[in-house]
Amino acid sequence: MTNQLNSLGIIMDGNRRFARARGESVAAAHLAGYDKVKEVLAWVKDLGITTVFLYAFSTENWGRQPVEVKALMTLFRRFLEAEIDELCQNETRLIFIGDLERLPSKLKQLAIDAMARTKAGKKFNLVIALSYGGRAELVAAAKTFARKFTGKLDQAGEPEFESCLLTAGLPDPDLIIRTGGAERLSNFLPWQSVYSELHFTPTHWPELERVELERIIANYYDRQRRFGK
């Protein structure tokens, strides 16, 4: 099996702790996190990675304070309005996974339009998990699977089930990085992550620097992936 790192997942955690440590507002910390996304995407492209999954907002995050949720929705809208032209120019395909029906109507339409505009992108896949929950994805996939393969379930296996996931056609992440100190996946890509290498760092997301990212990736290449063999 190859150890080549082509697909990377990132759980961007630690913005609120970053804010508390610096005496800043949570909104300011999320803005710093937004700026860090642009930096990190440039770094990973330099490193030859071609697919990135970003855990931006979980289904559980809807339970946060309304003012924080509103600030995050504003940032997502800003991203789509400000960055879409550059994504197209860079041949980046933007894909949202999650329950987009829960988004504010304007943001939902911007997300749908952005996916349509970037669909032809061949150089880089940017997959944003927005209003996403891994268990919810599996439940929805199971329902789709049952409908598609009614009467022939004995002929359907893992590839057929994968075709019902939100990530159908995308590579599973080779490596998942979580910033912010927690050491769990928190409902992120439960099917797709079964053989992903994991790395947890206490560094808050807005504080991640290229030198640390390169150390993490170097550590990945020191590992031997056996895939259960």
Side-chain angles (χ1 to χ4, degrees):
M1 293 288 183
T2 180
N3 211 39
Q4 180 63 38
L5 176 54
N6 295 312
S7 182
L8 174 67
I10 305 177
I11 301 173
M12 305 177 292
D13 196 20
N15 287 355
R16 292 189 293 181
R17 289 184 293 281
F18 172 80
R20 285 195 293 268
R22 295 167 64 95
E24 297 180 353
S25 68
V26 172
H30 285 313
L31 180 59
Y34 167 81
D35 291 335
K36 184 58 62 175
V37 167
K38 294 190 288 184
E39 280 191 281
V40 171
L41 290 177
W43 301 341
V44 300
K45 289 178 182 178
D46 286 346
L47 295 168
I49 295 167
T50 55
T51 298
V52 168
F53 296 84
L54 297 179
Y55 202 6
F57 191 87
S58 72
T59 51
E60 292 78 16
N61 290 158
W62 288 110
R64 292 185 177 183
Q65 291 297 318
V67 65
E68 183 180 358
V69 172
K70 183 177 179 180
L72 285 166
M73 294 300 122
T74 299
L75 273 180
F76 297 142
R77 181 172 172 175
R78 172 180 168 179
F79 166 76
L80 288 171
E81 292 175 336
E83 308 296 336
I84 188 65
D85 288 339
E86 185 174 347
L87 293 176
C88 291
Q89 291 168 8
N90 294 335
E91 296 186 54
T92 295
R93 183 184 179 193
L94 179 62
I95 301 165
F96 286 98
I97 58 172
D99 183 5
L100 301 187
E101 294 300 323
R102 297 186 68 178
L103 300 179
S105 58
K106 176 63 175 178
L107 177 57
K108 173 190 168 184
Q109 193 57 52
L110 283 170
I112 292 170
D113 292 345
M115 287 191 285
R117 283 190 61 188
T118 63
K119 188 175 182 179
K122 301 296 184 184
K123 290 186 176 179
F124 191 81
N125 295 314
L126 175 56
V127 188
I128 299 180
L130 181 60
S131 187
Y132 173 85
R135 287 183 174 180
E137 180 189 18
L138 292 178
V139 169
K143 292 177 180 178
T144 301
F145 180 78
R147 288 194 300 269
K148 287 178 65 175
F149 298 100
T150 297
K152 47 185 177 181
L153 286 176
D154 57 337
Q155 303 169 27
E158 291 184 13
E160 289 76 19
F161 188 85
E162 281 189 333
S163 73
C164 302
L165 295 170
L166 296 173
T167 56
L170 294 167
D172 293 340
D174 300 305
L175 170 67
I176 295 176
I177 300 169
R178 179 170 185 156
T179 61
E183 297 186 358
R184 58 182 180 271
L185 294 182
S186 297
N187 209 12
F188 182 55
L189 302 178
W191 176 281
Q192 301 87 342
S193 65
V194 290
Y195 281 112
S196 300
E197 296 295 318
L198 307 178
H199 187 100
F200 303 102
T201 173
T203 302
H204 301 137
W205 171 247
E207 298 175 306
L208 184 68
E209 296 296 339
R210 179 166 181 155
V211 64
E212 181 176 6
L213 179 66
E214 290 179 345
R215 280 200 302 266
I216 292 169
I217 291 174
N219 174 266
Y220 166 85
Y221 280 114
D222 285 338
R223 304 182 188 184
Q224 185 174 5
R225 302 182 72 192
R226 298 183 179 277
F227 298 90
K229 298 181 179 179

